[in-house]
């Protein structure tokens, strides 16, 4: 059983922020910023590409609601809501989860930068459309 399924089954303790029949939200053990939260479906599914639409919907709507609550109550100035899908994207736990990472200032322990690569946009577009 995966580590998040064990948390969902209360075999491993966690700090629960929200729970209903389908979704669990807990504080991330690593707290990249204060209030860093994980929102996950109770049923095991590997990632956002493998999940059914209803599961994704429930998780993302819960994440949005909690993000608003976290930003307000922890006096954050912004928030990243993201999901890593696959090892190359940084996914380390193979149970779908959305990170809520409240942002405070540029000294946050998280840095998200968009570098640039040279690409022929027309050939990229053609390849995506297949
Ligand atoms: P990923 O890298 O898969 O997107 O994110 C996995 C997250 O799960 C990491 O941020 C990591 O800190 C968190 N995590 C891993 N194990 C545990 C745990 O046992 N409890 C909690 N609360 N978080 C965990
Ligand atoms: Zn699982």
């Amino acid at each position: 059983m995966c580590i998040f399924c064990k948390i969902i089954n209360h075999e491993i303790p966690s700090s629960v922020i929200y729970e209903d029949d389908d979704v669990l939200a807990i504080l991330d053990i690593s707290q990249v910023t204060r209030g860093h939260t994980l929102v996950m479906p109770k049923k095991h599914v590997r990632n956002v590409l493998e999940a059914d639409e209803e599961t994704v919907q429930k998780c993302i709507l819960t994440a949005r609601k909690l993000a608003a609550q976290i930003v307000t109550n922890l006096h954050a100035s912004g928030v990243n809501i993201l999901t890593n899908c696959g090892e190359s994207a940084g996914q380390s736990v193979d149970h779908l989860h959305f990170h809520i990472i409240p942002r405070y200032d540029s000294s946050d322990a998280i840095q998200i930068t968009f570098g640039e690569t040279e690409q022929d946009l027309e050939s990229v577009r053609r390849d995506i459309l297949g």
Side-chain angles (χ1 to χ4, degrees), residues 37-112:
T37 295
L38 301 172
V39 179
M40 62 191 75
K42 286 191 171 175
K43 77 173 168 196
H44 181 90
V45 58
R46 266 202 326 179
N47 60 47
V48 70
L49 295 183
E50 293 189 8
D52 60 85
E53 286 189 2
E54 196 186 346
T55 298
V56 174
Q57 233 163 27
K58 279 179 181 158
C59 287
I60 195 67
L61 290 176
T62 302
R64 186 178 71 151
K65 203 181 295 176
L66 291 176
Q69 186 178 341
I70 288 167
V71 165
T72 300
N73 290 351
L74 297 188
H75 310 291
S77 53
V79 63
N80 294 106
I81 301 171
L82 58 92
T83 186
N84 298 325
C85 179
E87 202 179 336
S88 63
Q91 185 173 12
S92 61
V93 178
D94 282 339
H95 180 127
L96 172 62
H97 53 282
F98 290 84
H99 294 261
I100 301 171
I101 304 171
R103 304 301 299 271
Y104 299 94
D105 55 45
S106 56
S107 68
D108 287 350
I110 178 173
Q111 298 298 330
I112 297 175

